[in-house]
Amino acid sequence: MTGVILAQIVVVVTLILMIIGKTPMYITAVVGSTIAALLAGIPLYGADPVTIKGLLIGGLNPVLIDMGGILLFIGIMQSTGFLHVIIGDIIKAGNYIGGGPGIITAAALVFSL
């Protein structure tokens, strides 16, 4: 097998791991893409115009870091049981307001604050 085919296989395995949710998504993406890039022949660092170092640093923009922080925050809320409490309160308030549309309205109000 050539390096490009092995890289494509690694990308598919990385996507499957991210979809099933048994591994941390951002770390899985970074590690999987790094291995795939190495297999495809992209150097780790150096004078070449495209290096893994450059790709990783270029991919770490504030939006991704912010998204990772939000996902971490949601994960902590879920593991402590607090997320279940919040969702329960949203559903109670929504049912009081008026069923399905009420739940959507209550959720929109909560998450817009």
Side-chain angles (χ1 to χ4, degrees), residues 14-59:
T14 302
L15 288 172
I16 290 171
L17 286 174
M18 291 168 62
I19 289 169
I20 61 174
K22 297 294 183 186
T23 59
M25 186 167 23
Y26 192 69
I27 294 171
T28 305
V30 169
V31 171
S33 62
T34 301
I35 293 170
L38 284 172
L39 290 171
I42 298 174
L44 279 173
Y45 57 91
D48 292 347
V50 177
T51 62
I52 293 175
K53 178 185 172 189
L55 291 171
L56 288 175
I57 290 174

Side-chain angles (χ1 to χ4, degrees), residues 75-98:
I76 291 169
M77 286 188 350
Q78 182 181 9
S79 67
T80 60
F82 190 62
L83 188 63
H84 182 70
V85 171
I86 291 173
I87 290 174
D89 289 344
I90 289 171
I91 291 174
K92 284 179 191 174
N95 283 332
Y96 178 75
I97 294 172

Side-chain angles (χ1 to χ4, degrees), residues 1-7 39:
M1 278 193 215
T2 66
V4 174
I5 293 172
L6 286 173
L39 290 171

